[in-house]
Amino acid sequence: MSNYYSSHFNLEKVSEGIYAAIAKDGGGAFGNAGFIDLGDKTIIFDTFNTQQAAEDLRNLAESITSKPVSWVINSHFHSDHTRGNQVFKDCHILSSQTTLQQMKENHPAKIAEQKADLKGLKKYIASLEQNAHPTDTQKLNEISFLKEMEISIPRLELVLPQYTFTHEFTIIGTKRTARIMTLGGGHSPCDSFLYIPEDEIIFMADLLFVGMHPSFFPYSNPTQWENILEKVNNLAIQKAIPGHGSIGTKKDIIKLKNYINEMKLLSKKVSNMEDVSIPPAYQDWTTINIDVMELFIKNLNILKEL
């Protein structure tokens, strides 16, 4: 996709009319998104962490498909999948009922707090810049990302989905069908994915991480997460677009399921976190804006509590 550029994501053609927007380190996307040409309509899956990234996504989607975006799907309530919604205010925005409720409960206070603390954010960025070494790529990416947040926050507004579903919502186009489904909560209280049966392609959001350690939260349900991945694996899938990481396949779905299972077992066994090490199969996995070992131990601690 060399003809189409964004500083926030790399645009990858998954199949004819189906595109994944893979987040760049240090950009304003943070998570992955994508768009699908259904023939008579264009739909967007997730809207990134900032308006500026979402604007690029919309511009490229409408330029490539030659039709306006009509539907937008929010996979779950996390900011890196919903904060670009205001760019699509004139579209039909869809989520699960639980996701809408989580957005209502979590986002207003968080956005208000960030708007009130812009000076604090600027001060923090300045402190990171003062101490950042020119070769510390992770720190430089964090600074770049926070500067995108500094641009985003002053004009950020919460735009909620106007349409919801409980289990499945199908959008039928003249070329292909988009099945938006949820099997409950694993990573978040409710995780939705988008399946295109004609092309055997699935957008999985944060139910899938490829080549990256997933994030667990106190509200995550690792056992349910494993069950969801097992059920999704029964679908005919050629390519799977994760919420974070590169485009994957069924092998990556099973690999993440195995990772979750190993982490659950390890959290029960380990007593001293200083003695823990990342299993060999996952030692090349990366993270975003956080040390790999730090996230690994954080995940283990959360699983211990769960």
Side-chain angles (χ1 to χ4, degrees):
M1 299 306 301
S2 57
N3 294 333
Y4 301 99
Y5 174 79
S6 171
S7 60
H8 307 292
F9 57 85
N10 289 315
L11 193 63
E12 298 188 23
K13 187 175 182 179
V14 186
S15 183
E16 191 62 44
I18 303 174
Y19 295 82
I22 307 298
K24 288 181 178 179
D25 291 338
F30 201 78
N32 296 339
F35 61 89
I36 302 103
D37 180 0
L38 295 185
D40 56 340
K41 56 181 74 74
T42 294
I43 64 173
I44 297 280
F45 184 80
D46 281 339
T47 63
F48 293 137
N49 198 68
T50 63
Q51 309 93 304
Q52 52 268 36
E55 285 164 0
D56 281 4
L57 181 65
R58 179 165 191 170
N59 289 337
L60 289 178
E62 295 185 341
S63 173
I64 289 171
T65 66
S66 300
K67 57 181 69 71
V69 172
S70 53
W71 284 91
V72 174
I73 293 92
N74 290 153
S75 63
H76 61 298
F77 82 97
H78 289 167
S79 299
D80 53 326
H81 301 264
T82 60
R83 279 205 181 198
N85 278 7
Q86 72 187 75
V87 173
F88 303 96
K89 280 192 289 188
D90 59 326
C91 306
H92 303 305
I93 304 177
L94 171 76
S95 77
S96 71
Q97 180 61 41
T98 304
T99 292
L100 173 61
Q101 192 60 39
Q102 290 289 321
M103 289 176 71
K104 286 180 178 179
E105 290 175 7
N106 289 278
H107 289 327
K110 184 176 181 181
I111 291 172
E113 181 184 349
Q114 290 179 334
K115 285 181 181 288
D117 193 36
L118 269 173
K119 286 184 180 178
L121 176 60
K122 291 177 181 180
K123 187 176 179 181
Y124 180 60
I125 292 171
S127 69
L128 290 178
E129 287 181 317
Q130 189 174 357
N131 298 310
H133 193 276
T135 60
D136 189 346
T137 305
Q138 182 177 300
K139 189 63 65 179
L140 295 175
N141 283 335
E142 182 182 1
I143 291 168
S144 179
F145 167 73
L146 290 173
K147 285 183 175 180
E148 293 294 340
M149 290 293 288
E150 185 183 354
I151 294 168
S152 166
I153 290 169
R155 61 188 182 95
L156 178 64
E157 56 184 283
L158 176 60
V159 174
L160 297 169
Q162 314 100 320
Y163 301 88
T164 63
F165 66 98
T166 306
H167 300 294
E168 180 172 350
F169 189 97
T170 302
I171 304 173
I172 299 171
T174 56
K175 285 184 180 177
R176 52 176 61 92
T177 306
R179 296 178 61 194
I180 300 98
M181 295 179 273
T182 179
L183 297 172
H187 170 74
S188 78
C190 189
D191 301 291
S192 303
F193 54 90
L194 188 158
Y195 179 60
I196 307 163
E198 295 89 347
D199 302 87
E200 299 184 351
I201 290 169
I202 189 168
F203 286 79
M204 291 188 66
D206 287 1
L207 283 170
L208 180 63
F209 288 63
V210 174
M212 302 185 78
H213 293 269
S215 295
F216 293 98
F217 300 94
Y219 49 70
S220 297
N221 187 328
T223 300
Q224 179 66 8
W225 196 343
E226 286 182 88
N227 292 338
I228 292 170
L229 292 174
E230 184 66 36
K231 290 176 182 176
V232 167
N233 191 56
N234 291 327
L235 296 170
I237 296 170
Q238 295 296 323
K239 293 178 182 178
I241 295 86
H244 298 273
S246 56
I247 297 172
T249 64
K250 273 197 169 188
K251 289 181 180 179
D252 296 292
I253 295 173
I254 294 303
K255 192 165 187 178
L256 182 61
K257 180 178 178 288
N258 293 339
Y259 174 94
I260 295 169
N261 186 54
E262 285 191 51
M263 289 289 283
K264 284 166 59 182
L265 295 173
L266 188 59
S267 71
K268 293 174 183 175
K269 281 193 253 181
V270 67
S271 55
N272 186 355
M273 288 298 174
E274 292 182 3
D275 298 330
V276 75
S277 60
I278 299 172
Y282 317 110
Q283 286 183 353
D284 62 339
W285 283 17
T286 61
T287 56
I288 312 169
N289 296 348
I290 186 173
D291 178 75
V292 172
M293 202 63 199
E294 184 181 343
L295 178 62
F296 188 76
I297 291 173
K298 179 183 175 185
N299 281 339
L300 281 177
N301 282 323
I302 288 174
L303 288 171
K304 266 185 173 296
E305 293 171 9
L306 291 173

